[in-house]
Amino acid sequence: MVTTIARKDLQLLFRDGRLPWAGGVVLVLLATALLVGWERRAEISTERAAAQLLDYDDWVAQPERHPHNAAHQGMHVFKPDPALSVLDPGIDPYVGSTIWLRAHLQSELTFMPAQDATGLQRFGELSPAWVLQILGPLLVIVLGFDAFSSERELGTLRQTLSLGITSRQLFLGKALGQAMAVGVLLGPAAVIAALATFAGSGAAIGDIAARLGWLFLGYSLYVAAAVFIVLAVSAIVRSSRLALVALLGIWIATTLLAPRAASDLSRVWYPSPTRLAFNAALGADMGHVAEEVWQENFGLSTQWSPELPLDKWGLALQVDDHAGYGVMDRHFAELWDTFAAQQRAQEWLGLVAPVLAVRAFSMGVAATDFSHYRDFSLAAERHRRVLQDVVSADLVKNADPRGTGHFDYRAGTDLWQHVPPFQYTPPSVAWAVGHTMRSFGVLLATLLASLAAALFAVSARRAA
Amino acid sequence: MLRTLLLVARQEARLLLADRTLWIISALFVAIVGYGLFNGVKQAALKETALASVLQAQMRGEQTRRALLGRILHEGALPDPFANPADPSVMGGGYGGRYAYMPISPLAPLAFGQSDIRPDYYKVTNRSKINFLYDTEIENPWNLLSGHFDLSFVIVYLFPLLIFALSYNFLSAEREHGTLKMLLSQGIALPHLVAGKIAVRAAVLLAWAVIVPLVAVTILRPEARSAEYLGPLASWCAFVVAYAAIWFALAFTVNALGRSSATNALILIGAWIVCVLILPVVLNVVVSVASPVPSRTELATRTRLVTGEALTRYATLLSTDYQYVDNPELSRPQNGRIAIAGRMRGSYLMERDVDEQLEGLLDAFNRQLAGQQQLISRYGAISPAIVAYEGLTAVAGTGVRRHLQFQRQIDEFHRRWCTFFDPKIQEGIAISEADLDSMPAFVSNEEDRSVMRTSVVTGLLQLLVPAIALALFGGWRLRRYSVV
């Protein structure tokens, strides 16, 4: 019986043109988004991989020069583009992808793509994730807002129930019908998206498949929750018109208003510093620590004062660098922890606005969320320190004994080769999924709550 | 005719007030307008405080440097080699660098625009621009992705929805309730009835959308009251009114089609989804494909290559040792001249070459972005939301165009700065006290008013022409409107 109801609903949706039309628009957008993402990744990933290789080759092949000069030129590292960025670019438009590893200071990711875009960027980034997260629930609303109410208006609900069908059976049939309608549209789209993700990606097939599986699960929970909410409203509200208005209101409030309000709230709860305040605090702490270590090691109160003999410059560089590491670690960790806390708060707000939870989950699994950027930034900084340490150790050993000839000293390929190439292994699926468990839990809770609401609504409201 | 209109309007106002709809919608609208404004005012204040403290720090620094230079020149003080105000290679660099800044517009609270990703100030030194041009504000990327709840969001996204809530059924409901026949039998012409109904709704909503922000901005930002900002404030109001006009025209036309209230609501929401949600996102992709910016990866690679070449070119200079360690006296100017450390000169020349060689590529980024902006000015008319967003942010002084103009000024200031220090570094001429007064200072220039005016007029036309066309079509349909 349940499947009969589902089949009937599906047929109706086909006949009144809603499924072909509304679904068609969503599919066209999905296809466009996929194509755009695929093109972008194809271009970016080969370019970055090539640039990374070239960068190291150039480092090793550089002519003989003073190691500190070489460290000033430094190296560039490029964040590899994850395979699933085709589906969900996550925070990509708002963070850079390149880090210039140079002497003295921890560098940050530069070249934010949003800086190379116009104000239209702020309307959203066309990606399959955006289409599913924002337009997905709308599609469900368009398909299902009158699932119960129209039957009530036409009087067929009374007839159906008089046949001995329980309201729960009816609900299951309706839910299945909606799921089939969405499935007919998104099923093939998911297969094409999966193929597009595999094609042209150098990552391991197992890794991609696992991520795709999780992503599929996450979006299924999201869409299912939307279906239950739509059915609940359709069952409880008097007319189809009211149901539609109520559902559109909920959709606008939860997908468009809530994310903005939530980010405001999270900033109130966990304020992040301005660039000015951050740099000032970092600079002040660096200064204090430097003062201490310079006093302790060289008996000097100012850095690089004329009283520091040239045969101590290499050592001073090493001491100075090492003193800064802890300070930078502390300041950046504090900043990034604030970002993480802001996101965490917003994921919990996903209980009210599920789009926040699915967004966090989706970009986490796609490896385009902040935790992945943080991991990359840390790896890059570790590499910068390796470079610094190799250079400083060499200066202590070879330049310092030369006294006044300090900057005359030149090192060659032997030293350059001591710095290993930057090899970054992005976190595994297990790591990514582990980091998204909170948002997954929130999604699951939303699903259960919406299911309960739907069941309650269906049993509370009979055919009247 | 006017009397009939007034009569209809008064009656309509009475009905709406009794219905409570107007109260609810007004309360909701004022609340979100207020919240959007609150966020905008907070952001603008934050930016202003930051800019003020940067400029204050610069002033303090300059006083310290001036005092130190005086002590060096007149009292024979011995400066730190890397904090030596007499040494042009140090003063032209990070130690003496000056800020280029974009003043926060008094209308900034009206739209966040680009203010959360593009800084309003950069410290300009004689190093290559690549060193400072890509600084960003600190903001959680997740929050940037979400966007801000500012007044432009309220106007562009939510205002049309409130217009719909009041107008989706202003004619269809009368017909469905059977009251339309009654009204028209009183000798009121249908166009008068429609005009009266729309006038009341538009008056109420526009009063909230225009007056609340105007009052708030002129009270909280007294500079906005000056004659200079009268034009921009009027333009801002005109954009809000023109944007409302197009949505009211749509609601009118949809009602004139004579469908049911439910269908009207669906058509209006559908149009909103297409215009506000879908078209801007799609046009963003189109302009980035049509006027693509060069690759940032390539910029990184080129930077490394030209830096490497410059290191080799100036290897001899860079290999010289700091003489001041053995001879601290060298840090003090003698007869207007000073010994510039070879390494300092080498570093400067290196940066100069890197800047020259990257210039073309860096320009290409701004050129392509300006190209995208131009495409939007031309094709943004496909969606009123795009035109309104662009217009509102431009008038508020937080749009891309003003930032691009600022970048051009930075370029120019950087050139002036380098030109001032170049001969001094090359020839070892010490910085004198007179030089401190003649050092290039950044003067911010706003973009040409005629450019702004043209863009405002174009934007308004892009909103008003379709609004009038829609209204004419609606009027034509209204003549064939069946009241039963």
Side-chain angles (χ1 to χ4, degrees):
Chain A
M1 181 49 67
V2 170
T3 49
T4 315
I5 297 171
R7 265 210 308 277
K8 176 230 132 203
D9 270 16
L10 189 61
Q11 262 175 2
L12 271 181
L13 285 174
F14 261 113
R15 269 188 216 154
D16 69 7
R18 251 188 283 175
L19 190 58
W21 275 106
V25 171
V26 171
L27 278 188
V28 168
L29 277 174
L30 266 180
T32 315
L34 201 58
L35 195 70
V36 170
W38 197 74
E39 279 254 340
R40 191 192 65 97
R41 193 199 54 192
E43 197 179 310
I44 284 181
S45 52
T46 39
E47 193 183 55
R48 284 190 196 163
Q52 192 69 79
L53 276 178
L54 258 179
D55 193 276
Y56 187 69
D57 289 349
D58 282 352
W59 167 264
V60 174
Q62 66 183 318
E64 286 193 344
R65 56 176 58 132
H66 190 271
H68 189 59
N69 291 350
H72 261 287
Q73 183 199 11
M75 289 179 168
H76 277 91
V77 291
F78 304 93
K79 182 177 181 298
D81 201 35
L84 269 76
S85 71
V86 172
L87 303 179
D88 189 352
I91 58 168
D92 275 0
Y94 297 101
V95 264
S97 51
T98 309
I99 301 185
W100 193 352
L101 311 179
R102 288 195 284 183
H104 302 310
L105 259 186
Q106 176 158 350
S107 304
E108 291 177 75
L109 284 153
T110 50
F111 305 148
M112 178 197 286
Q115 282 189 320
D116 288 334
T118 63
L120 287 191
Q121 178 75 46
R122 314 314 283 279
F123 279 87
E125 169 99 353
L126 182 63
S127 70
W130 181 83
V131 175
L132 285 177
Q133 289 165 18
I134 306 294
L135 302 182
L138 182 66
L139 176 69
V140 174
I141 292 173
V142 170
L143 296 179
F145 73 97
D146 60 350
F148 282 101
S149 50
S150 75
E151 296 233 26
R152 195 179 307 116
E153 283 158 351
L154 294 171
T156 46
L157 190 57
R158 212 179 274 254
Q159 282 173 7
T160 314
L161 292 179
S162 73
L163 295 173
I165 294 168
T166 63
S167 52
R168 187 157 297 192
Q169 273 177 318
L170 188 62
F171 165 72
L172 286 177
K174 295 270 175 201
L176 188 63
Q178 294 295 316
M180 278 159 65
V182 177
V184 166
L185 285 174
L186 300 187
V191 174
I192 294 171
L195 291 177
T197 312
F198 281 116
S201 151
I205 290 181
D207 178 272
I208 298 181
R211 285 174 197 271
L212 283 172
W214 279 103
L215 216 52
F216 185 76
L217 181 63
Y219 279 106
S220 300
L221 294 184
Y222 181 60
V223 171
V227 167
F228 292 142
I229 293 169
V230 168
L231 289 180
V233 173
S234 179
I236 209 136
V237 170
R238 272 190 323 253
S239 68
S240 302
R241 189 165 74 91
L242 258 183
L244 181 62
V245 172
L247 286 167
L248 287 175
I250 295 175
W251 171 68
I252 288 164
T254 54
T255 55
L256 293 177
L257 289 185
R260 290 166 193 257
S263 69
D264 286 344
L265 271 180
S266 73
R267 266 193 298 255
V268 173
W269 290 332
Y270 305 100
S272 34
T274 59
R275 167 73 62 193
L276 188 70
F278 179 78
N279 285 352
L282 179 65
D285 273 4
M286 292 283 276
H288 291 147
V289 173
E291 223 169 89
E292 273 171 35
V293 294
W294 278 75
Q295 191 67 47
E296 190 182 307
N297 286 276
F298 310 110
L300 295 171
S301 56
T302 39
Q303 288 165 276
W304 311 109
S305 98
E307 288 147 59
L308 181 75
L310 273 165
D311 61 3
K312 288 270 192 294
W313 273 54
L315 182 65
L317 204 62
Q318 198 175 40
V319 165
D320 204 56
D321 279 338
H322 278 267
Y325 291 164
V327 179
M328 288 187 283
D329 284 344
R330 204 171 59 247
H331 282 265
F332 277 97
E334 205 175 299
L335 176 69
W336 291 340
D337 284 346
T338 308
F339 286 175
Q342 287 179 348
Q343 182 175 332
R344 205 163 50 235
Q346 297 188 54
E347 285 174 29
W348 283 119
L349 290 170
L351 286 168
V352 191
V355 72
L356 291 169
V358 78
R359 194 166 95 178
F361 179 75
S362 171
M363 62 171 85
V365 171
T368 51
D369 67 345
F370 187 71
S371 60
H372 284 85
Y373 272 91
R374 187 173 180 165
D375 187 74
F376 176 76
S377 297
L378 288 172
E381 176 59 14
R382 278 196 297 274
H383 196 69
R384 189 186 74 86
R385 292 178 187 181
V386 169
L387 186 151
Q388 287 278 92
D389 290 348
V390 168
V391 164
S392 309
D394 186 67
L395 285 176
V396 173
K397 190 172 149 209
N398 298 311
D400 282 359
R402 297 162 69 97
T404 51
H406 186 95
F407 286 101
D408 259 352
Y409 168 65
R410 291 183 186 196
T413 315
D414 281 352
L415 179 65
W416 314 144
Q417 277 173 339
H418 258 83
V419 180
F422 177 68
Q423 269 163 344
Y424 175 64
T425 318
S428 64
V429 189
W431 187 91
V433 172
H435 274 72
T436 49
M437 270 306 118
R438 185 180 320 100
S439 49
F440 187 73
V442 170
L443 270 180
L444 207 57
T446 314
L447 176 76
L448 293 176
S450 59
L451 175 63
L455 285 173
F456 173 77
V458 170
S459 57
R461 186 101 198 170
R462 293 273 166 176
Chain B
M1 185 186 124
L2 194 66
R3 268 191 51 201
T4 335
L5 262 179
L6 279 176
L7 193 75
V8 173
R10 201 176 313 138
Q11 170 67 9
E12 194 61 30
R14 227 177 271 147
L15 279 175
L16 279 173
L17 286 175
D19 188 26
R20 279 203 322 212
T21 317
L22 193 66
W23 293 106
I24 296 173
I25 287 184
S26 290
L28 189 70
F29 195 29
V30 172
I32 53 177
V33 164
Y35 182 56
L37 264 174
F38 166 75
N39 277 332
V41 170
K42 207 171 65 177
Q43 166 86 351
L46 203 71
K47 292 238 134 199
E48 222 152 42
T49 318
L51 187 55
S53 54
V54 161
L55 295 179
Q56 242 167 33
Q58 169 165 301
M59 211 173 66
R60 276 198 305 274
E62 292 194 346
Q63 282 164 353
T64 315
R65 287 191 283 275
R66 187 180 287 273
L68 180 57
L69 185 61
R71 284 203 303 281
I72 296 168
L73 293 176
H74 309 302
E75 299 164 23
L78 198 63
D80 248 347
F82 295 110
N84 183 357
D87 184 337
S89 66
V90 174
M91 277 295 271
Y95 176 65
R98 276 186 169 165
Y99 284 96
Y101 61 95
M102 188 171 79
I104 314 294
S105 162
L107 307 192
L110 297 175
F112 265 61
Q114 300 286 312
S115 68
D116 51 355
I117 51 174
R118 291 171 188 268
D120 321 283
Y121 57 86
Y122 296 88
K123 189 169 189 176
V124 174
T125 66
N126 60 11
R127 303 183 67 197
S128 159
K129 285 191 290 291
I130 189 86
N131 289 296
F132 60 82
L133 216 47
Y134 293 99
D135 290 348
T136 48
E137 259 311 326
I138 286 186
E139 176 57 292
N140 188 345
W142 169 285
N143 292 343
L144 289 175
L145 186 65
S146 294
H148 294 281
F149 204 123
D150 64 345
L151 192 59
S152 63
F153 166 71
V154 172
I155 301 286
V156 173
Y157 280 77
L158 308 179
F159 192 29
L161 295 172
L162 294 170
I163 293 176
F164 297 165
L166 274 185
S167 341
Y168 78 100
N169 63 352
F170 74 88
L171 211 51
S172 52
E174 296 275 12
R175 191 173 59 171
E176 281 156 16
H177 297 151
T179 42
L180 188 59
K181 260 192 290 186
M182 230 166 64
L183 278 170
L184 295 180
S185 69
Q186 306 284 318
I188 300 172
L190 189 57
H192 290 171
L193 183 72
V194 169
K197 278 172 173 285
I198 291 184
V200 172
R201 289 165 167 81
V204 173
L205 287 181
L206 282 173
W208 298 133
V210 173
I211 293 173
V212 173
L214 269 190
V215 170
V217 168
T218 44
I219 289 179
L220 295 170
R221 314 276 304 195
E223 318 91 284
R225 275 176 273 167
S226 71
E228 193 187 341
Y229 287 99
L230 219 59
L233 263 184
S235 309
W236 188 85
C237 298
F239 268 112
V240 176
V241 173
Y243 187 57
I246 201 166
W247 294 112
F248 269 116
L250 184 68
F252 160 62
T253 307
V254 167
N255 267 282
L257 290 178
R259 310 274 173 87
S260 69
S261 299
T263 314
N264 289 357
L266 266 184
I267 295 176
L268 289 172
I269 285 286
W272 179 84
I273 290 166
V274 172
C275 289
V276 179
L277 287 190
I278 297 177
L279 286 178
V281 172
V282 172
L283 186 64
N284 185 32
V285 173
V286 173
V287 296
S288 62
V289 172
S291 176
V293 289
S295 146
R296 287 293 180 189
T297 310
E298 194 196 319
L299 176 63
T301 307
R302 272 204 55 77
T303 307
R304 195 192 63 247
L305 289 178
V306 295
T307 310
E309 284 163 14
L311 274 173
T312 311
R313 195 172 312 131
Y314 300 111
T316 321
L317 275 177
L318 292 167
S319 298
T320 53
D321 268 296
Y322 287 112
Q323 307 293 326
Y324 71 82
V325 179
D326 290 330
N327 186 1
E329 281 300 317
L330 287 177
S331 300
R332 210 178 282 143
Q334 300 285 336
N335 303 324
R337 306 192 74 83
I338 190 162
I340 310 274
R343 273 185 71 75
M344 295 298 280
R345 201 157 84 229
S347 299
Y348 161 69
L349 291 172
M350 229 177 83
E351 292 285 344
R352 187 194 65 181
D353 288 8
V354 168
D355 200 60
E356 272 169 17
Q357 282 167 304
L358 290 181
E359 183 96 46
L361 192 52
L362 288 179
D363 281 348
F365 282 96
N366 285 346
R367 210 174 34 247
Q368 291 303 98
L369 183 56
Q372 291 188 7
Q373 195 60 39
Q374 234 164 21
L375 287 173
I376 292 174
S377 312
R378 199 171 308 154
Y379 300 109
I382 57 165
S383 154
I386 297 174
V387 182
Y389 177 83
E390 288 292 318
L392 294 174
T393 46
V395 172
T398 52
V400 167
R401 233 191 25 230
R402 186 163 180 243
H403 277 276
L404 280 174
Q405 150 98 355
F406 177 43
Q407 297 258 322
R408 282 191 289 273
Q409 292 183 57
I410 296 175
D411 271 0
E412 196 263 334
F413 179 56
H414 182 247
R415 237 189 314 274
R416 276 202 294 140
W417 185 262
C418 293
T419 312
F420 180 84
F421 286 99
D422 183 87
K424 294 184 166 51
I425 298 173
Q426 303 263 30
E427 292 160 30
I429 302 171
I431 299 286
S432 67
E433 282 170 311
D435 285 333
L436 293 185
D437 298 320
S438 57
M439 250 164 62
F442 181 78
V443 182
S444 161
N445 282 316
E446 291 300 326
E447 67 181 337
D448 193 357
R449 284 188 169 234
S450 66
V451 176
M452 186 64 171
R453 248 196 315 270
T454 316
S455 89
V456 167
V457 171
T458 315
L460 288 175
L461 284 178
Q462 285 176 333
L463 291 173
L464 289 173
V465 170
I468 293 169
L470 262 174
L472 286 177
F473 175 70
W476 175 69
R477 288 298 304 225
L478 197 66
R479 280 196 293 185
R480 302 165 39 182
Y481 192 82
S482 151
V483 289
V484 274

